[in-house]
Amino acid sequence: IFPADMHPRLREEIKEALQPLFDLRRAQSGDLFRLYEGGDAYRPGERKDQFLERLGVGPGLVDPLELPFYVMLVGTPEQIPYSFQYQLDVMRGVGRLDFGSDVDAYDRYARAVVAAEGDAFSLPRRAAFFAPMNPGDKATKLSAQYLVQPLYENLCQRIVGNDLALSHPWEVPTPLIGQDLATRASLERLLGGDPAQMPTLLFAASHGIEFPAGHPGQLRQQGALLCQDWPGAWHEVAREHYFAGEDIANGANLLGMMAFFFACYGAGTPAFDQFAAQAFKVREKIAPHAFTAALPQTMLSHGALAVLGHVERAWGYSFISPSGDLEHQAFVSAMRTLMNGSPVGLATDASFNMRYAEMSSDLSADLEELQWDS
């Protein structure tokens, strides 16, 4: 899906760059392949329901004859808003490709996907886990102990209870958690610095670096991953304490890799604070405009196939309930589905999408009670 307000020349250049990927998907799906541009493109300000109604697509279960299940948005979150992506993704597998006006990056991504899906390409089945535990920092301790460690222990086993069984054995090295392990140097080696250490699937949980609106480093470094190098809660965060997109070497080859970042702003930043109501504040601008994080952008332009992450802030309630119970099943299901070779859109559908729908229904009931209870 292209945005209607993308400059025609840039759109044509991006389409030409993505043509190898279009050809592959058309060969795989035949007449079900669609390119939404021109009169069918996303129009500024459209909600998901308005977009679907204009195209004659009904609500509910996906009919691929109307609109495919797997959807790729091409453009910035200013051109196609994050809110549209969230809503379309509830019933579909929706991703975004945003390299701005860098046409060469679109070309490299398309060729990487085609190469990775070719019969001659293979990677060892290796999953890596990265999680700092910075002194005095409650958040990194929580995500390391109650998300990454249990996830690692689960994925070390092909069969665990009623979880989806892994169809092949995977190499799952000791996780890089805490002191002397989850360092910036270690992450650099995983992300192209040492080809022998590059995993097929990387899961990282940490703080995503946040800057105030208008800060000169915000567009380049927001969402970068804080590493164990940070001495802890009583110290300022310095540039050498985190890993950003610009830290990936120009010659790094991440062909075939997929990554999952549990970190604030790890995938992107909206223009306005989406949690202002929770803090009883007026909604304020947190960035000059909505943008995609530079780290996943850089990874995708160096051969990575997909990067999953948060837009806005990440919360411990994603894996721990308000009562303190461990609730990480959505992560387990998504990772096991990915490790069995399913597309990312399918891996997140039965886990995060269903959980999102369930929680939205519960929230609706709570709001109704608040409105009508005296």
Side-chain angles (χ1 to χ4, degrees):
I1 298 178
F2 281 85
D5 62 351
M6 180 178 282
H7 192 283
R9 173 188 277 181
L10 178 60
R11 184 188 66 241
E12 292 306 309
E13 290 178 347
I14 292 175
K15 282 172 55 183
E16 182 178 354
L18 292 177
Q19 195 60 51
L21 180 57
F22 293 163
D23 292 342
L24 175 64
R25 295 293 181 247
R26 187 176 284 109
Q28 293 169 330
S29 57
D31 293 340
L32 296 179
F33 180 82
R34 299 280 192 280
L35 202 59
Y36 293 89
E37 57 177 336
D40 291 335
Y42 172 83
R43 297 176 183 176
E46 269 188 322
R47 299 193 312 265
K48 180 265 298 184
D49 57 322
Q50 295 170 328
F51 174 78
L52 295 183
E53 183 178 2
R54 178 166 60 84
L55 296 182
V57 179
L61 292 175
V62 173
D63 180 352
L65 293 174
E66 292 184 331
L67 181 75
F69 174 81
Y70 296 108
V71 179
M72 183 172 73
L73 309 179
V74 181
T76 72
E78 285 290 289
Q79 296 169 321
I80 305 180
Y82 283 129
S83 56
F84 175 81
Q85 181 175 352
Y86 302 156
Q87 293 303 310
L88 189 63
D89 187 60
V90 173
M91 296 300 293
R92 288 174 167 80
V94 182
R96 180 186 295 270
L97 204 55
D98 170 22
F99 296 118
S101 58
D102 187 350
V103 176
D104 288 340
Y106 285 102
D107 177 77
R108 292 195 299 272
Y109 178 78
R111 295 184 185 281
V113 174
V114 172
E117 294 190 23
D119 293 336
F121 181 79
S122 66
L123 284 177
R125 293 184 176 89
R126 181 187 302 125
F129 294 86
F130 180 91
M133 292 177 62
N134 304 100
D137 184 65
K138 195 173 180 180
T140 52
K141 182 178 180 180
L142 197 70
S143 58
Q145 291 186 338
Y146 295 101
L147 176 59
V148 175
Q149 184 65 34
L151 194 56
Y152 159 75
E153 292 172 0
N154 180 285
L155 298 177
C156 279
Q157 307 171 70
R158 288 184 64 179
I159 300 175
V160 181
N162 293 322
D163 290 337
L164 178 68
L166 297 180
S167 55
H168 301 279
W170 274 68
E171 178 189 349
V172 188
T174 301
L176 302 174
I177 296 179
Q179 193 67 34
D180 299 327
L181 293 175
T183 62
R184 179 176 157 176
S186 297
L187 188 57
E188 183 177 10
R189 287 192 289 270
L190 294 177
L191 292 176
D194 182 354
Q197 292 192 38
M198 190 194 84
T200 305
L201 184 58
L202 170 65
F203 189 97
S206 180
H207 284 293
I209 297 299
E210 177 185 3
F211 293 93
H215 187 282
Q218 187 179 44
L219 298 180
R220 294 183 295 110
Q221 298 175 2
Q222 183 127 316
L225 298 178
L226 186 67
C227 300
Q228 193 67 41
D229 307 67
W230 179 47
W234 300 277
H235 300 267
E236 293 290 326
V237 174
R239 178 61 185 88
E240 63 267 20
H241 296 155
Y242 59 86
F243 189 91
E246 60 197 33
D247 295 321
I248 293 179
N250 288 335
N253 181 7
L254 304 180
L255 182 60
M257 171 192 272
M258 289 190 286
F260 195 131
F261 295 153
F262 184 88
C264 295
Y265 309 105
T269 300
F272 289 89
D273 183 356
Q274 296 180 338
F275 293 97
Q278 172 184 308
F280 303 101
K281 298 190 303 183
V282 175
R283 200 174 200 189
E284 57 187 26
K285 205 162 189 183
I286 60 174
H289 55 79
F291 62 93
T292 304
L295 178 55
Q297 278 183 326
T298 306
M299 291 175 63
L300 294 173
S301 71
H302 281 72
L305 303 182
V307 181
L308 294 85
H310 286 265
V311 172
E312 245 281 3
R313 280 161 280 184
W315 302 91
Y317 289 134
S318 294
F319 55 89
I320 293 182
S321 74
S323 60
D325 297 321
L326 183 62
E327 290 187 351
H328 69 310
Q329 190 57 45
F331 295 90
V332 169
S333 298
M335 292 288 283
R336 283 183 167 268
T337 306
L338 282 175
M339 292 165 79
N340 276 350
S342 294
V344 175
L346 186 63
T348 56
D349 186 58
S351 51
F352 294 105
N353 288 6
M354 291 296 98
R355 188 176 184 209
Y356 171 76
E358 180 184 37
M359 295 178 75
S360 297
S361 176
D362 291 342
L363 177 60
S364 178
D366 289 341
L367 292 175
E368 185 175 11
E369 287 183 12
L370 288 172
Q371 180 177 357
W372 298 110
D373 282 0
S374 57

